[in-house]
Amino acid sequence: MSHTVESSTETSHGVSLSDAAAAKVKSLIDQEGRDDLRLRVAVQPGGCSGLIYQLFFDERLMEDDLVRDFEGVEVVVDKMSTPYLDGALVDFEDTIQKQGFTIDNPNAQGSCACGDSFS
């Protein structure tokens, strides 16, 4: 039984997708008219605080990618980004002031005013 737990841990990640974000991702993928796209969440060096978030659609799946499914929307995180994003929540805001995806990341010790970069 422990083997099953181990393998699921190795193939999944700690990033969550809110219902609003899942619905938005699904509608964007439907607009593209493709069923081979998934949402990739990654971190890369850069930005004013040291690391910058990347959120984009990807048809590729790498060997060390970790995948979680949210109501038919696959969220993919590469192995290097996983520790930085563990417990993060991707949400979608649609208000008068702001429209777009947000990432609430408990691992970010400091972030800049733009909200795209963290340390």
Side-chain angles (χ1 to χ4, degrees), residues 4-51:
T4 312
V5 172
E6 270 179 45
S7 67
S8 71
T9 306
E10 289 170 19
T11 59
S12 189
H13 54 74
V15 177
S16 297
L17 199 60
S18 73
D19 291 345
K24 185 63 177 178
V25 169
K26 201 164 180 44
S27 80
L28 289 170
I29 289 174
D30 288 347
Q31 283 175 24
E32 292 289 324
R34 295 177 56 178
D35 57 7
D36 63 336
L37 294 177
R38 44 191 73 82
L39 181 68
R40 182 174 291 279
V41 185
V43 295
Q44 297 211 312
C48 32
S49 296
L51 291 169

Side-chain angles (χ1 to χ4, degrees), residues 60-75:
R60 297 169 304 141
L61 205 53
M62 305 302 184
E63 198 175 304
D64 64 347
D65 281 342
L66 305 177
V67 183
R68 275 180 79 183
D69 190 278
F70 295 90
E71 308 287 320
V73 174
E74 284 186 332
V75 176

Side-chain angles (χ1 to χ4, degrees), residues 20 24 92-100:
K24 185 63 177 178
F92 183 76
E93 282 186 41
D94 192 0
T95 64
I96 263 181
Q97 295 174 320
K98 181 177 186 177
Q99 183 184 37

Side-chain angles (χ1 to χ4, degrees), residues 71-93:
E71 308 287 320
V73 174
E74 284 186 332
V75 176
V76 181
V77 180
D78 65 83
K79 210 164 196 157
M80 190 214 82
S81 298
T82 302
Y84 297 103
L85 294 167
D86 193 40
L89 172 68
V90 178
D91 196 5
F92 183 76
E93 282 186 41

